[in-house]
Amino acid sequence: MSDHHHDHDAPLPDTVLRVKALESLLTEKGLVDPAALDVLIDTYETRVGPRNGAKVVARAWVDDAYKKRLLEDATAAIAEFGFQGRQSEHMVVLENTAKVHNMVVCTLCSCYPWAVLGLPPVWYKSSPYRARAVIDPRGVLEEFGVALDEEVEIRVWDSTAEIRYLVLPQRPGGTEGMDEEALADLVTRDSMIGVGLAGSPGGV
Amino acid sequence: MSQSADLSELPSLPMDEDGPVFAEPWQAQAFAMTLELHRAGHFTWKEWAAHLSEEIGAAQARGDPDRGDTYYLHWLAALEKLVAEKGLTSAAELDTRKTEWDEAARHTPHGEPIELGKG
């Protein structure tokens, strides 16, 4: 755990508040359609921040020393890639194993590790996802096409504005000869939220 | 049909070969809101480009280093002014609402969605 204590009532940045004020007023007045806005913002999903989460995961797969550093101090290990921003502070990496599957929930854009993953998908922000992920994670995972063995423990992590979680998915089988770059292509956004698995080589 | 939003008419929009890029999520939200207001016909693209240019020009005159990291600050300020001029929402309304969001955020336990009217 971190040595620092962080107040959970940390204020939102001024710019975020101004954008929220504009968006909520314009929506209430019927001047912008929130659904159209969501669709538009969804198209920028991969256009925000450096989004180097897949590279972080691939390095952890090939480099045990890096993986150790990543699990001990994710913020510093991610910064080794040279894209440390104030938004990627206090990252915690959760390792999926044959026995434990981690998944992450939060409804707030600001609680999403967008610096490594880009913008959150619309479903991630929806309250049904958050509520159901906590009550019935196995059911939610099945809807995402992830069927886990009964024995696998599922841990659901609630992101906060101060701690953002990144899931380290299991390295897929049949990837022994692959280099870091090729491995990074197998790491999907969903696998780093914990609602998917990393892809198989040559698979879809 | 409103005329399309021509991004090339905007001064120094941060872009790569695939289109606009954003340093933080709020920037994408401000960008999307502007496009959506324009699409709905609340202002012309020419009006928007003029407001943004004016805001950037004024910032440069104040000594803004203009290295790109302040671009969306100018964008947001220009949008706030334009919606007020068009009578869509006033500066006072925006200010009140901003305070309400600030209060709501401070009173919302972590992990819960921030909603107005709490606390």
Side-chain angles (χ1 to χ4, degrees), chain B residues 77-95:
Chain B
L79 182 60
E80 286 167 339
K81 281 182 190 161
L82 185 54
V83 295
E85 272 172 39
K86 292 287 174 184
L88 304 178
T89 181
S90 71
E93 271 182 308
L94 282 174
D95 205 46

Side-chain angles (χ1 to χ4, degrees), chain A residues 8-26 28-33 36-37 40-41 44 47-51 86-87 106-111 114 119-120 125 127 130 158-162, chain B residues 15-37 39-40 42 73 76-77 79-80 83 87-90 93-95 97-98 101-102 105-114 116:
Chain A
H8 288 136
D9 298 330
L12 296 176
D14 183 68
T15 47
V16 172
L17 291 169
R18 282 162 64 192
V19 167
K20 282 181 89 68
L22 261 174
E23 191 177 340
S24 60
L25 280 168
L26 294 172
E28 280 165 26
K29 291 166 185 255
L31 297 168
V32 294
D33 173 6
L37 219 48
L40 202 50
I41 289 172
Y44 312 135
R47 315 286 305 153
V48 176
R51 309 174 307 280
R86 80 184 157 81
Q87 294 291 343
C106 180
T107 53
L108 284 172
C109 203
S110 60
C111 293
W114 55 262
L119 284 182
K125 292 180 279 184
S127 43
R130 181 177 178 280
D158 209 345
S159 284
T160 71
E162 291 75 33
Chain B
M15 295 182 62
D16 66 12
E17 62 277 11
D18 294 323
V21 290
F22 309 96
E24 299 185 22
W26 68 265
Q27 301 178 352
Q29 283 158 348
F31 181 85
M33 240 185 312
T34 309
L35 258 59
E36 187 53 22
L37 283 168
R39 192 193 59 80
H42 295 298
L73 282 176
L76 181 54
L79 182 60
E80 286 167 339
V83 295
L88 304 178
T89 181
S90 71
E93 271 182 308
L94 282 174
D95 205 46
R97 181 56 61 90
K98 184 187 140 189
W101 277 118
D102 191 22
R106 288 171 198 270
H107 291 105
T108 302
H110 73 270
E112 283 185 20
I114 297 173
L116 292 180

Side-chain angles (χ1 to χ4, degrees), chain A residues 129-143:
Chain A
Y129 168 72
R130 181 177 178 280
R132 286 204 46 227
V134 175
I135 301 163
D136 178 24
R138 208 168 283 272
V140 170
L141 284 173
E142 276 168 15
E143 279 170 29

